[in-house]
Amino acid sequence: MKFSEQWLREWVNPDISTDALAEQLTMAGLEVDGVAPAAADFHGVVVGEVLAVERHPDADKLSVCQVSNGAATFQVVCGAPNVRAGLKVPFAEVGAVLGEDFKIKKAKLRGAESHGMLCSGDELGLSEEADGILELAADAPTGKDFRDYLGLDDQCIEVDLTPNRGDCLGIAGLSREVGALNRVAVVGPVMDPVAATVEDVFPVSVEAPADCPRYVGRVVRNIDINAVTPLWMVERLRRSGIRSIDPVVDVTNYVMLELGQPMHAFDLDQLQDGIVVRRGRAQETLTLLDGKEISLDPETLVIADSTGPLAMAGIMGGENSGVSTTTQNIFLEGAFFNPITVAGRARAFGLHTDSSHRFERGVDFQLQEQAIQRATALLLDIVGGEPGPLVHVLAAAEMPLRQPVQLRKARIAGVLNLALEDEAIEDIFIRLGLTLAACDDKGWTFEVPSYRFDIEIEADLLEELARIYGYNRLPASLPAASLALKSCPERKVSIREFRRALLMRGYNEAVTYSFVDPDLQAKIDDRSEAIALANPISADMAVMRTSLWPGLLQALSYNLNRQQNRVRLFESGLVFNKDGEDILQTRRMAGVIAGNSAPEGWTQPSAKVDFYDIKGDVEALLSLGGNASEYGFSTGEHPALHPGQTATINYQGAPVGWLGALHPNLEKSLDINGPVYLFEVDLAALEQGELAVFQELSKFPEVRRDLAIIVDERLPLADVNRVARKNAGEYLTELTLFDVYAGKGIDPGRKSLAMGLTWQHRSRTLTDGEITELVDSIINDLEKEFNAVLRG
């Protein structure tokens, strides 16, 4: 919000400088984004009075004027079309300086001498464009310095309010804060009710009371729409970043800036039968004040009459019912709209207005009548008119509730380490508008005002106390606690080890969003219900991930589209799944590879990655805990992986992850060319390891036997290894597969596996008989379980 410092100081005027005020607001949580002068730097401009105007004898578009500065009369040549006798204008005398280097000098224009210049708003830096010289009020004191007359030695302060401080989106709310911070009185303008002078009313009905619990309206007849908005009001609007439009719109904007209540004025003669506050209907359209036509829906609250929608409630009025140059009678609207109803609707239509900005954050639900009375009084002073009685529709059951909040003295000392007199604490909260309902030796009970949506619990009161007292003034103390060293089980493998292992194998770590595209999430994991976000950043980041693969695949696609021919990425992080009514968060590690298997070089031919590249990477991770034998791989199924190239990663027989080739359909939808391989494994299982145990090296020779067996081609090697280890005895030190063959000499549907088995005893040399007995046992069990045949 942008506001004039002078305007604020009319309400509350602490004895501090502009810089101190800006710093004070920032430290109180109302961050000041900038402070800028209200007008350009100029001097030598006074209020002048045009006494006479004659046409220039040698120029049709110039006039020769006689201008008084209160002490003397000067001849000035002027080209403005609106110059006329009796007009009060800004008069730059000879010697005046406008801007940095534009000095007014005596001049001769088409033979006529000119002693000064009559100024427009843009020449003084008060507006971006002008149709002529700036017209001042008839009672402007001739000869008075123009900067003093308009109070241009002012500062425009812009504050960036957090969403919970909608109460400060008006001069009234800001002055309340400044008054509390400086312990000075806040004295706003007198806002007496305006009595009705006619009996005219316009009926109002609210069909959506939960969305609009309070609606206040008033008819004002016989206004003069051609009246001119006073320059003081135009200036306050300008300094607040709002352009003057016409007196009625200017007054509604002024009240919004002053009190924080957005308002709207309808052309009464364009309304039919009565105002109806309701939800939009299918196929309804509305042309807004900016000329944009929108299609409404049942999620949008509208102000309508019997002919259809007139405005988007709390956002923007319609073009056909707005005030125009022919308006004579108006209907003023002031309402309280439920913040939840308005929130996000403006953004859904590509809009952001001053009104929606305030209603989304919460407007004081007791302010509407006061705002209507204030606007009526201002309108009568500017455009005249005859006001009717207030029309007030209230759904008391739907109004926000304000529960009393307790504050305990012990909590102030314990949380803020602050010792204040009771009177000082009560003074802070009373200046903020809270009402002291009860107090005793233990603390206080405060009633919360209608404009403070952010105060609900004791912690909120503690925050207010710290904020107004001053965060930088709170006593500082070192934390005192009994700190115990966190246990670090030696069996647990640190995640740093996994990261280091993958980095050494050519991977790069990626960090992606936990919010992902719902469509991509469903393609990757259609077995888990993704958790939808209530207010997503964007449509393609609308659900929580149930796998790390969506982010990694998008990162992979991004790199491949930028001519990276070898991509290896990994990520560790949380995935989110529903567990009944709860949310289950699981730590996982995942990786993806694509492109060339090895970096480009002359020592080896380039080849694309395959299943065994990523399986080798996963096995490297599994081996870090020293218990690789507890892990295994089995044929698996996953919606994101190729049906024939998918393996389940098992730990102690239970599945803990997957690896395999990306499904061809997913490759196509992501526009990826070439094979892509992925893995994902639960970190809780991956981190389990075994303690290292010292074993003395054996001095006795190793014995190796090679076996070649023929088995079914679909038989996993893991099953063969399981049987071999079970029968090989306790002295087996190594089991290696060194050849796989299928083809000539092997029956169709069968394959040959060649394995090397190595034994070594710690205290003696093993005999051939012992080894032969073990090999025979292995062969017999393989024949029995898998119909294996020893290859000759």
Side-chain angles (χ1 to χ4, degrees), residues 3 75 168 206 251 260 263 342 393 436 463 470 474 512 546 684 699:
F3 65 93
Q75 177 174 296
C168 289
V206 178
V251 165
M263 301 182 66
V342 181
V393 179
L436 180 59
E463 180 185 0
L474 292 175
T512 65
T546 62
K699 297 181 290 184

Side-chain angles (χ1 to χ4, degrees), residues 408-594:
R408 293 167 290 174
K409 296 178 181 179
R411 291 293 291 166
I412 297 175
V415 175
L416 302 180
N417 191 26
L418 186 63
L420 280 179
E421 297 292 333
D422 291 357
E423 293 78 7
I425 294 173
E426 293 169 7
D427 180 72
I428 287 175
F429 289 113
I430 290 172
R431 288 183 185 277
L432 288 174
L434 282 75
T435 303
L436 180 59
C439 64
D440 54 30
D441 293 340
K442 294 183 179 179
W444 302 265
T445 299
F446 290 98
E447 293 182 356
V448 182
S450 54
Y451 48 81
R452 290 306 297 267
F453 287 79
D454 60 323
I455 298 179
E456 295 181 340
I457 59 176
E458 184 179 42
D460 298 328
L461 294 181
L462 289 170
E463 180 185 0
E464 291 299 294
L465 185 59
R467 194 174 60 82
I468 299 301
Y469 179 78
Y471 292 120
N472 54 339
R473 296 175 58 199
L474 292 175
S477 60
L478 295 174
S482 176
L483 302 178
L485 290 175
K486 185 178 179 180
S487 62
C488 184
E490 292 185 51
R491 291 178 179 270
K492 185 176 180 180
V493 184
S494 168
I495 191 172
R496 291 192 299 270
E497 296 298 320
F498 299 122
R499 289 189 177 121
R500 186 178 297 115
L502 290 173
L503 289 171
M504 293 176 65
R505 299 180 75 86
Y507 283 75
N508 288 298
E509 185 169 13
V511 179
T512 65
Y513 283 105
S514 297
F515 316 139
V516 297
D517 184 350
D519 294 334
L520 180 58
Q521 177 66 59
K523 291 176 182 177
I524 290 176
D525 185 7
D526 59 3
R527 299 178 296 188
S528 303
E529 181 183 356
I531 301 166
L533 297 174
N535 188 20
I537 298 173
S538 63
D540 58 354
M541 300 178 71
V543 298
M544 304 293 288
R545 64 189 180 190
T546 62
S547 168
L548 299 179
W549 286 345
L552 283 175
L553 286 172
Q554 287 179 319
L556 172 72
S557 178
Y558 182 90
N559 280 273
L560 291 177
N561 290 338
R562 282 154 182 78
Q563 293 78 49
Q564 299 300 307
N565 58 12
R566 184 173 187 266
V567 181
R568 290 175 173 238
L569 299 172
F570 78 92
E571 180 176 11
S572 59
L574 292 173
V575 298
F576 307 87
N577 291 277
K578 284 189 175 181
D579 183 18
E581 294 299 321
D582 299 326
I583 296 176
L584 183 64
Q585 302 182 79
T586 308
R587 296 162 53 245
R588 288 187 184 169
M589 176 165 279
V592 59
I593 63 174

